[in-house]
Amino acid sequence: MSRKQYFFIILILGSLATVSPFSIDMYLPGFPRIAMELGTTINRVQLSLTSYLVGICIGQVLYGPLLDRFGRKKPLYAGLALYVVASFGCALTSSVDALIVMRFFQAMGGCVGLVASQALVSDLFPSDKRAEVFSLITLVIAVSPMIAPTVGGYVTASISWQWIFIILAGIVSLIIAAIYFFLPTGREADNSVSLRPKAVMNGFATVIRQPQFLIYTLAGGLATAAPFAYIAGSSDVFMNIYKVTEQQYGWIFAFLAVAMIGSTQLNHILLKKFKSEQIIKVTLFYQSIVGVLLIAGVYNNWFGLYSLIGMMFIFLTGQGLTGPNGSALSLAPFRKHTGSASALMGSWRMGAGAIISAIVSVLHNNTALPMVGMMAACSLGGLVILHAGNAVVKHQASRREVEDEVSVLL
């Protein structure tokens, strides 16, 4: 493909993958205003974030087989249309319970972009280029936290929080048009893929039995859930504890997004010298150390506003390395079941994010400790899974070699 085609494809795939992150980040500065206008607490408003993540988790599992059966574009159109309708539902809601429900359906529609973008990378690019492409897509995604909260803060302060969802509906409508005119079809519909429950479950089972997929999906998914702890707790920490304004919060969020953008670009350079396996292992180790320091600092009141932001910047730098390398390693073994593999990987990531964000809400204690504690737990958990999983695989491989040698001797 030409450089121009390459640019447009990356931009569209990145935009698809950004639908859900943008939908999460843009309304965060409005949490206090939403709680006040709907007559509820910030804890209850945070549940609309959890319901969104639950919707992504469930939706991705459903879209995986649909993308393999009907091709990439038809499920994309259907899901994004549902997103637009649900976004208007969010804007028109008059209770926090209705907002929680509509956010669930908004996620069920928008999450198709996450699955389809990953599947299309496997369709359109050779295996040795996918980690680089995932890095570029992550770069587009990383721009979301720079723009979304800042825009959301100004929209909430100058107009109303309802307009956030109207703007989101308009953005996705433009993405639908770009898909129709500029995005290649990718893998065609495959009538051999059955949508019967037993066949779908067999397809998922085939994916899960692949050791490389299982290890890097579990480890990478838990590691990439760390930002959801930050997302769930940051508005309360910065706006209620440190007393920053909605606009200031947007700028803090944008600054911390630079950490992910910078590391995404660094990943391009590192991939020329190191394997994805090496990069993700070292990154999880250093994030675990920084996470423990964050816990100690918050517990002992070592951090002011700026020092806390600095430590979180260092931690979040790792997200631009774990995400794309984890995705590339998870999907590398597959050709036929790429859609199902993408769905399972994305579902686990968002499911872990939903659980982590819910825990942050439950542990709310008017300090930053629940937020930084869960961030550290994600990195430590990912590191343990990665080492334990690889150790098991190596043990099984050596055991098979011994058994083969014995059978030859016999």
Side-chain angles (χ1 to χ4, degrees), residues 5-296:
Q5 288 175 313
Y6 183 82
F7 172 79
F8 275 111
I9 290 172
I10 295 297
L11 185 61
I12 294 171
L13 294 180
S15 299
L16 279 173
T18 306
V19 169
S20 286
F22 216 85
S23 304
I24 293 169
D25 299 338
M26 194 168 177
Y27 89 133
L28 294 178
F31 272 21
R33 187 73 61 88
I34 294 171
M36 181 182 67
E37 292 190 12
L38 297 182
T40 186
T41 63
I42 285 184
N43 286 6
R44 290 284 294 168
V45 177
Q46 284 176 337
L47 290 178
S48 67
L49 171 61
T50 301
S51 73
Y52 190 92
L53 297 176
V54 171
I56 296 176
C57 178
I58 296 172
Q60 288 186 94
V61 175
L62 299 177
Y63 285 120
L66 293 175
L67 288 163
D68 287 334
R69 172 65 177 80
F70 296 109
R72 309 312 190 198
K73 284 199 171 182
K74 288 182 180 179
L76 262 174
Y77 292 139
L80 295 179
L82 173 60
Y83 176 94
V84 171
V85 173
S87 296
F88 282 109
C90 290
L92 297 174
T93 188
S94 59
S95 72
V96 70
D97 291 331
L99 178 64
I100 291 170
V101 172
M102 294 310 300
R103 285 286 285 173
F104 173 83
F105 285 109
Q106 189 188 35
M108 287 285 287
C111 70
V112 68
L114 290 169
V115 187
S117 61
Q118 294 171 20
L120 281 162
V121 169
S122 295
D123 294 345
L124 302 175
F125 300 95
S127 59
D128 61 336
K129 293 292 184 182
R130 289 173 194 165
E132 180 180 342
V133 174
F134 277 122
S135 292
L136 291 172
I137 291 174
T138 302
L139 175 61
V140 179
I141 296 172
V143 174
S144 166
M146 293 189 66
I147 300 173
T150 306
V151 173
Y154 280 100
V155 169
T156 300
S158 59
I159 311 176
S160 70
W161 62 267
Q162 288 89 346
W163 270 92
I164 291 173
F165 295 104
I166 295 173
I167 292 170
L168 288 171
I171 291 171
V172 171
S173 297
L174 293 175
I175 292 173
I176 293 173
I179 292 168
Y180 181 82
F181 289 108
F182 301 111
L183 186 66
T185 302
R187 183 179 172 184
E188 298 288 349
D190 187 351
N191 293 329
S192 67
V193 176
S194 174
L195 295 180
R196 293 179 180 178
K198 184 178 180 180
V200 171
M201 295 307 295
N202 287 338
F204 284 141
T206 299
V207 171
I208 292 173
R209 282 195 293 267
Q210 166 52 244
Q212 180 171 325
F213 170 83
L214 192 60
I215 292 169
Y216 286 102
T217 293
L218 290 177
L222 187 56
T224 53
F228 291 104
Y230 157 61
I231 289 168
S234 60
S235 61
D236 179 59
V237 169
F238 290 123
M239 296 174 70
N240 288 336
I241 297 175
Y242 290 99
K243 305 301 181 183
V244 304
T245 66
E246 292 161 338
Q247 292 91 338
Q248 289 171 334
Y249 170 73
W251 286 111
I252 291 170
F253 210 95
F255 171 73
L256 291 175
V258 174
M260 291 182 281
I261 293 176
S263 58
T264 300
Q265 293 304 294
L266 177 62
N267 197 42
H268 285 295
I269 301 171
L270 293 176
L271 284 169
K272 295 177 182 178
K273 298 182 179 180
F274 304 100
K275 294 181 179 180
S276 291
E277 294 93 328
Q278 297 171 302
I279 296 172
I280 195 171
K281 188 182 296 183
V282 172
T283 303
L284 286 176
F285 179 73
Y286 106 75
Q287 277 191 300
S288 297
I289 294 174
V290 177
V292 171
L293 290 175
L294 273 168
I295 294 174

